Amino acid sequence: ANNSNSVTQEEKNGYIGLGKTAEAYAMLVLSDLQYENGLRIEVTDEQKPGKIQPYPMVLAAIKTLLNDGDAALAKAGTDLAFPVPSGFADFGNVAGFRQFNRALAARLAIRSNNYPDALPVTAGPRFNFSATAGDAVNPLFQLPNTAPSVATVAHPTFRTDIRPGDTRINKIAARTTRLSRQGLSSNDDVVLYPTQTSPIPAIKREELLLIAAEANANTGKLPLAVVQINKVGNAYGLPDYTGPITAA
């Protein structure tokens, strides 16, 4: 964007906001995988990347990227200069993409226990997949009752611990034969994605409601936390929460 004279300054800001948000998202996904092992933050020179930095520094770097991306989007006018995939259709303008950016900031705030910064609620964009030549298929799709070398199965406690009436039981399906890999075994496949072109949420309103509930529970707003927990539970067929109204 900065090396081009064929777009306006507002359009440049849109590209920069997209780039920084996408980089922050990628770093957040990798950080969730690595956790306290840390990540390399300085990667400007891919031949000589910086040293692996500790987890708090990684979170701080991601926060800077998200905030810089949001600041750029704030100066990007109303419409983005580029099309977005259909899964991002509801977030295809500047205001919508800023919502996505702030949703990621809420997810990040929970990672760093920064609860006062984690209160937005919004719907969620999705990553699209296609079997068309040149496109990518859903990497998490798996035919039920197969035994691939890398299998996605449910932890046995998912079925035993789920509450009666919770429709999230539909996220798993019983296998005809128990699958074992490297000392781990399960009787249930994960069936979140029914086809190889099923979209994957980038972040969902459900997660934001639970982020908000955790944030409110840890900042003394317990009744509001219960309301948010109930919004999620009710959506999956569960009655309102009736346990102790404490942060724990």
Side-chain angles (χ1 to χ4, degrees):
N2 287 328
N3 292 334
S4 173
N5 293 320
S6 62
V7 292
T8 67
Q9 186 58 53
E10 279 192 348
E11 290 172 333
K12 287 184 179 183
N13 288 331
Y15 283 112
I16 292 169
L18 165 70
K20 289 183 179 291
T21 302
E23 185 176 358
Y25 176 83
M27 284 186 68
L28 185 53
V29 171
L30 289 171
S31 177
D32 282 348
L33 290 172
Q34 293 295 325
Y35 190 40
E36 292 182 350
N37 291 325
L39 291 178
R40 301 181 194 275
I41 295 173
E42 178 48 59
V43 292
T44 304
D45 184 347
E46 63 184 30
Q47 300 300 321
K48 296 179 180 179
K51 294 181 179 180
I52 293 176
Q53 301 298 333
Y55 186 58
M57 290 185 64
V58 173
L59 296 182
I62 298 172
K63 182 176 182 179
T64 297
L65 277 172
L66 285 171
N67 288 344
D68 287 352
D70 184 57
L73 289 167
K75 300 176 183 177
T78 302
D79 297 317
L80 297 170
F82 46 85
V84 298
S86 60
F88 276 69
D90 293 336
F91 304 87
N93 57 21
V94 171
F97 206 82
R98 287 188 74 186
Q99 282 186 306
F100 174 50
N101 177 290
R102 293 297 85 192
L104 295 179
R107 178 187 285 175
L108 177 70
I110 289 296
R111 302 293 188 270
S112 54
N113 297 325
N114 188 11
Y115 295 112
D117 286 349
L119 298 176
V121 175
T122 183
R126 297 173 181 271
F127 294 121
N128 299 111
F129 299 94
S130 167
T132 303
D135 284 347
V137 295
N138 184 323
L140 300 180
F141 168 71
Q142 176 180 291
L143 285 171
N145 283 311
T146 56
S149 57
V150 179
T152 305
V153 292
H155 194 283
T157 58
F158 189 89
R159 182 177 292 279
T160 58
D161 289 356
I162 199 165
R163 287 172 288 178
D166 192 331
T167 59
R168 283 169 290 194
I169 193 67
N170 295 325
K171 292 182 177 183
I172 65 174
R175 294 178 55 84
T176 54
T177 304
R178 189 176 185 87
L179 185 66
S180 297
R181 288 285 188 275
Q182 297 179 325
L184 304 175
S185 62
S186 175
N187 285 320
D188 291 298
D189 281 321
V190 174
V191 291
L192 278 171
Y193 307 108
T195 73
Q196 63 178 355
T197 58
S198 299
I200 295 177
I203 188 167
K204 297 191 295 185
R205 181 171 180 266
E206 173 186 351
E207 180 180 347
L208 291 177
L209 282 166
L210 293 173
I211 286 173
E214 183 175 343
N216 284 319
N218 282 277
T219 53
K221 301 173 184 175
L222 297 173
L224 184 54
V226 172
V227 170
Q228 289 154 340
I229 290 171
N230 286 337
K231 285 182 180 179
V232 175
N234 295 165
Y236 292 107
L238 294 175
D240 286 351
Y241 174 76
T242 56
I245 309 299
T246 64

